[in-house]
């Protein structure tokens, strides 16, 4: 039960809130009284907390929130019946903390309790409350937006990374999906879900499909490639490890909101078949991953052909082609920058969700 719902359950009503002041009331009933027949201290505390909080809320911008840090109540008189009236005002307000004070009077005007409280203030940022989905990619030269359908990703495609993850070299590639809502653009923010454990960076070449196809032969596969981007396959490594151990899918550890930053798209005719391109990732300016796409076990044509054996590829689908060695954890405040030769770069900042 939230504080607001709890206050309503008790019967606390806030009557007035304006310019750092508030008034609240409570009609006393039998359920508010303790075994001695006087109002329970917790009821008075709840009335004061709600009214002092309302005074603070009335003094901060509409898009800000506040939460009680501490509440100190002095209980002065017992009260058995009638209407209790609380009044409160803000005493002092800083950038992040506000202090408020107030009291409760009974129907005869006697002060029955008084309180002082401190409140934490913070700006409400709607974009951190709910991810604003941007499920498209942008062509580098023309700015044309292409809606992204599905995002396929390859789980093991560089021998050194397979070795660092403990996979046998001969293992076939693992394909998994991320939802289009995972996309973040250059300059955006990767948000680590609260309590999710370590999140790792994986820089990858991303193929953008330009033409629909099923069972595409390898020698025709490049005709289905519109262009290339550089992307980050952000991974909740601990959750993924738990899923692997139980044989469960990786959906949540790989597909969470903001888990797929992508750059703008360079057209295929300016890039070629995707081989021999330098792929790098820096964390806070320090190089962590650095490889040539020629080190991929399967090249672009082979991957497009492989994926299309079972799944129809459509214009706007993305294919993350696997990451080289050097993956590692990122933290809130880190700046990530991925680059792919001839293609471009993608830079994002890491935040932790509240
Ligand atoms: Mg990956």
């Amino acid at each position: 039960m939230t504080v607001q719902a709890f206050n309503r359950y008790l019967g606390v009503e806030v009557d007035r809130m304006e310019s750092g002041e508030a008034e609240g009331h409570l009609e006393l009933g039998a359920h508010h009284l303790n075994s001695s027949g006087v109002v329970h201290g917790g009821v008075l505390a709840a009335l004061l907390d709600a009214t002092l909080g309302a005074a603070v809320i009335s003094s901060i911008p509409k898009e800000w929130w506040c939460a009680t840090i501490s509440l100190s109540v002095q209980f002065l008189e017992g009260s058995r019946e009638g209407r209790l009236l609380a009044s409160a005002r803000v005493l002092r307000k800083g950038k992040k903390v506000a202090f408020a004070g107030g009291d409760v009077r009974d129907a005869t005007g006697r002060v029955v309790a008084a309180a002082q409280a401190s409140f934490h203030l913070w700006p409400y940022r709607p974009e951190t409350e709910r991810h604003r989905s941007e499920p498209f990619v942008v062509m580098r030269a023309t700015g044309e937006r292409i809606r992204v359908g599905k995002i396929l990703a390859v789980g093991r495609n560089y021998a050194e990374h397979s070795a660092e993850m403990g996979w046998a070299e001969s293992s076939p590639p693992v394909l998994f999906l991320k939802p289009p809502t995972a996309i973040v653009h250059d300059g955006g923010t990767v948000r680590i879900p609260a309590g999710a454990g370590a999140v790792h960076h994986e820089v990858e070449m991303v193929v953008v499909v330009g033409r629909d196809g099923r069972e595409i032969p390898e020698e025709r596969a490049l005709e289905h490639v519109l262009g290339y981007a550089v992307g980050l396959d952000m991974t909740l490594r601990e959750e993924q490890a738990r899923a692997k151990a139980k044989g469960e899918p990786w959906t949540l550890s790989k597909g969470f909101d903001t888990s797929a930053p992508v750059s703008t798209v360079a057209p295929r005719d300016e890039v070629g078949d995707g081989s021999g391109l330098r792929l790098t990732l820096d964390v806070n300016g320090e190089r962590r991953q650095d490889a040539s796409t020629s080190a991929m076990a399967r090249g672009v044509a082979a991957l497009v052909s492989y994926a299309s054996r079972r799944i129809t590829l459509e214009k706007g689908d993305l294919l993350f082609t696997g990451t080289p060695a050097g993956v590692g954890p990122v933290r809130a405040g880190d700046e990530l920058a991925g680059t792919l030769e001839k293609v471009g770069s993608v830079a994002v900042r890491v935040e932790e969700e509240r």
Side-chain angles (χ1 to χ4, degrees):
M1 189 182 282
T2 65
V3 172
Q4 282 304 332
F6 178 67
N7 287 336
R8 233 171 278 133
Y9 169 75
L10 281 179
V12 171
E13 297 284 349
V14 174
D15 299 325
R16 186 178 67 87
M17 295 168 60
E18 57 193 22
S19 58
E21 296 188 356
E23 284 181 347
H25 82 268
L26 175 71
E27 299 291 343
L28 280 180
H31 62 292
H32 294 121
L33 307 181
N34 64 19
S35 56
S36 305
V38 296
V39 62
H40 198 288
V43 172
L44 289 169
L47 172 59
L48 281 158
D49 184 38
T51 311
L52 270 60
V56 171
I57 288 168
S58 74
S59 74
I60 58 179
K62 226 170 98 186
E63 63 275 18
W64 282 57
W65 283 8
C66 81
T68 310
I69 301 170
S70 68
L71 175 72
S72 165
V73 183
Q74 297 81 50
F75 302 104
L76 304 170
E77 300 279 352
S79 206
R80 293 171 187 277
E81 58 186 6
R83 177 183 164 99
L84 296 180
L85 184 69
S87 54
R89 67 189 175 93
V90 174
L91 303 173
R92 197 149 42 88
K93 201 171 71 190
K95 276 186 181 158
K96 292 184 175 174
V97 180
F99 299 90
D103 58 30
V104 178
R105 291 167 189 269
D106 67 10
T108 68
R110 276 188 319 166
V111 176
V112 299
Q116 299 79 41
S118 58
F119 294 85
H120 177 213
L121 313 177
W122 74 92
Y124 170 60
R125 287 165 296 176
E127 75 276 14
T128 67
E129 300 306 308
R130 190 176 171 281
H131 174 54
R132 197 184 307 125
S133 171
E134 297 184 318
F136 55 83
V137 286
V138 180
M139 295 304 292
R140 183 172 73 184
T142 63
E144 183 195 352
R145 283 185 178 195
I146 294 162
R147 187 165 181 87
V148 171
K150 54 190 168 288
I151 305 173
L152 282 157
V154 181
R156 55 182 74 134
N157 201 28
Y158 286 79
E160 274 184 44
H161 174 59
S162 296
E164 76 182 352
M165 298 300 288
W167 288 320
E169 229 171 271
S170 58
S171 308
V174 171
L175 285 183
F176 60 92
L177 284 158
K178 283 173 179 267
T181 41
I183 289 178
V184 178
H185 297 278
D186 183 42
T189 303
V190 167
R191 296 201 177 87
I192 306 173
V199 59
H200 278 201
H201 56 76
E202 296 188 358
V203 69
E204 311 199 359
M205 174 166 70
V206 179
V207 171
V208 182
V209 175
R211 209 172 113 197
D212 297 4
R214 171 80 201 265
E215 294 176 82
I216 302 165
E218 202 171 317
E219 58 276 14
R220 303 289 302 269
L222 289 180
E223 296 169 27
H224 292 259
V225 175
L226 178 71
Y228 301 89
V230 56
L232 304 179
D233 168 21
M234 301 306 295
T235 303
L236 300 175
R237 192 67 78 203
E238 291 169 31
E239 287 197 2
Q240 186 201 24
R242 282 196 289 275
K244 277 183 189 172
K246 290 194 242 166
E248 291 173 354
W250 305 350
T251 309
L252 294 180
S253 58
K254 285 287 197 180
F256 63 96
D257 284 351
T258 75
S259 63
V262 284
S263 70
T264 54
V265 180
R268 173 169 51 90
D269 57 15
E270 293 175 21
V271 181
D273 67 1
S275 65
L277 306 177
R278 190 175 184 190
L279 179 65
T280 68
L281 180 95
D282 290 0
V283 179
N284 303 324
E286 194 179 300
R287 182 99 350 143
R288 298 283 175 83
Q289 292 185 272
D290 190 349
S292 166
T293 55
S294 291
M296 296 200 305
R298 281 180 171 80
V300 169
L303 288 173
V304 167
S305 177
Y306 182 81
S308 72
R309 280 201 255 167
R310 296 281 169 77
I311 297 177
T312 299
L313 299 182
E314 296 176 306
K315 181 176 179 179
D317 288 347
L318 304 185
L319 175 61
F320 278 63
T321 57
T323 198
V327 301
V330 299
R331 287 175 191 81
D334 282 351
E335 307 272 352
L336 312 183
T339 70
L340 179 60
E341 191 183 345
K342 291 193 191 174
V343 170
S345 60
V346 61
V348 290
R349 192 183 149 73
V350 179
E351 271 183 15
E352 200 155 343
E353 279 186 351
R354 269 196 278 125

